[in-house]
Each structure stands twice: as structure tokens, then as C-alpha cells.
Amino acid sequence: MRAGIGLITVVSVALLVPRIEAGKAIALKTELRAFVDPQVLLAMGITVFGPAAFFTSITYIAPMMVEEAGFSDAGIAQLMILFGLGLAVGNWVGGRFADRSLFGTLFVTLAAQAAVLLVFWFGVENSVIASVSVFLMAAFGFATVSPIQKLVMDRASRAGAPTMAASVNIGMFNLGNAIGAWVGGATIAAGFGLASPNWAGALLSLVALGLAAVAWVSADQKYSTAPAE
């Protein structure tokens, strides 16, 4: 079954995706230079801490909801449906608004993600608050993905490494996922309770928000003072 789906996917890509001519080759040395560019590093830092925020919470959502909010196994499954819907909505919203205002979208989504996680922490025992929080946490968390990826690609292009930096940035998302899961587990292990990953995730989201603010201010200064080519 999976092999059949895979085969259909390969054929569909071959037939439907437009052919794009290869661009001008870029030297590896030039590509690597981007990884010492402060703007690229700031953007990748946002990549790490933004997604880490909601993975801090969602990794431990089952025991959290069972023990703190009294959800059943069926209730957890329904929460995961809400989480999936949130991801879909967030992906659409982030992509739609990133082109209009990249940093504005980042500021709103990261701040909202932090706020939702804090509300989730305070209201974790209320099933309605918990359900809404799971949906919004996913929506705001995934709404950051498009603007973050666009920011990295823009900064990497300016630094002369549009391909490698964009590829490495996907690994930064995965690193953020791992860090978020570790931070959530660390707060529980430290005795702060099963709901503690929520406030820990809020702090990570605020770290990402701070990095976004620094990237915005420093980029504005850098590019506004750069000599015209």
C-alpha cells in the first residue's frame, strides 16, 4: 500500500512539477561563509527556539491531560485531532501573512504562542481551556514556520549562501523539537509538575521573540547603512 502511494507520488511529481533550470553554481566556500554571518545565525536561532516552544508542551500532552485535566484515552485522541487542525490552520495563516509583513507575523505569532502556553499552564485542569490551548498552541506554533524559513532564506541569500543555509535550517527545526522535548522533561524531572512544560515552552517562545526583535533592529541598521550596489 505504502509502496503504491510512493510510486503515485513520484509519478505525479515527475509529470506535474514544472522543470526548473539549474542556477549558477555557488562555491562551497561561499556557502559556508553564511554560517558566520550574524543575521543568518540570528534567524537560525529563531528556528531553534520558536518550534521548541510548543514541542516542550505537546511532547508530554498525554500524561499532562490525563493526570491534570482528567482526559480519557479517547479524549487524548480528540485533542490530537485539534492539534492537527491547528497545524493546518497555522501553516495557512503563516504563509499568507509572511509575505505581507515577515517580522510582524513573527512578532505576533511568537508572542501569541507564549501567551497561549501561559494560559494553558494556569488553566490546565479545565478541559475547555486545555482543548482551546492545544489548538491555538499548534496554530501559532506552526504559523511561525513560513516566516522563519523565509527569513533564513532572505538572510542567507544576502550572505551568498541561499541553498545550503536553507537546507541546514530544516535541521534547526528538528534541533528545536529535540530541545523542546528535553526542556519539558527536565522541568517535570525537577519536580515542577506535569503542567510545567507549558510555562517552560512560553519562556522558549519569548527567547525566540527576543531574537526576532534583535534580528529586526540589527538588520534594519545593517541594510539601511549598506552602500548601494
Side-chain angles (χ1 to χ4, degrees):
M1 180 66 176
R2 292 181 180 178
I5 294 174
L7 180 59
I8 292 173
T9 302
V10 170
V11 173
S12 298
V13 169
L15 294 176
L16 301 176
V17 175
R19 179 178 177 80
I20 300 175
E21 297 298 329
K24 182 180 178 181
I26 301 175
L28 178 61
K29 183 178 180 180
T30 302
E31 292 269 3
L32 293 175
R33 193 180 302 141
F35 295 97
V36 296
D37 186 288
Q39 291 300 318
V40 175
L41 295 178
L42 275 172
M44 288 188 174
I46 303 168
T47 302
V48 172
F49 288 103
F54 75 87
F55 269 92
T56 302
S57 175
I58 199 63
T59 303
Y60 303 95
I61 198 68
M64 186 192 305
M65 292 294 90
V66 169
E67 297 296 330
E68 300 288 343
F71 274 74
S72 63
D73 291 342
I76 298 299
Q78 292 170 358
L79 277 180
M80 291 300 94
I81 294 175
L82 282 177
F83 182 75
L85 290 174
L87 296 179
V89 170
N91 192 48
W92 178 80
V93 170
R96 184 175 180 83
F97 287 96
D99 288 334
R100 299 184 183 183
S101 176
L102 193 153
F103 277 106
T105 304
L106 273 179
F107 293 153
V108 169
T109 54
L110 289 171
Q113 180 177 239
V116 168
L117 285 165
L118 286 175
V119 170
F120 194 8
W121 176 45
F122 283 114
V124 68
E125 295 181 357
N126 185 298
S127 60
V128 175
I129 292 177
S131 299
V132 173
S133 296
V134 167
F135 173 81
L136 292 178
M137 174 177 65
F140 287 121
F142 235 60
T144 66
V145 173
S146 292
I148 287 174
Q149 185 70 3
K150 187 175 187 300
L151 177 63
V152 171
M153 293 180 69
D154 287 348
R155 296 296 179 260
S157 294
R158 288 178 181 269
T163 54
M164 182 175 291
S167 300
V168 171
N169 198 50
I170 301 301
M172 296 296 102
F173 278 110
N174 292 328
L175 177 60
N177 299 347
I179 289 176
W182 178 84
V183 170
T187 61
I188 295 173
F192 290 111
L194 286 171
S196 60
N198 294 330
W199 61 255
L203 292 179
L204 292 178
S205 191
L206 292 176
V207 170
L209 179 60
L211 292 175
V214 172
W216 177 56
V217 172
S218 60
D220 184 61
Q221 293 174 346
K222 176 180 178 180
Y223 300 134
S224 64
T225 57
E229 295 182 0

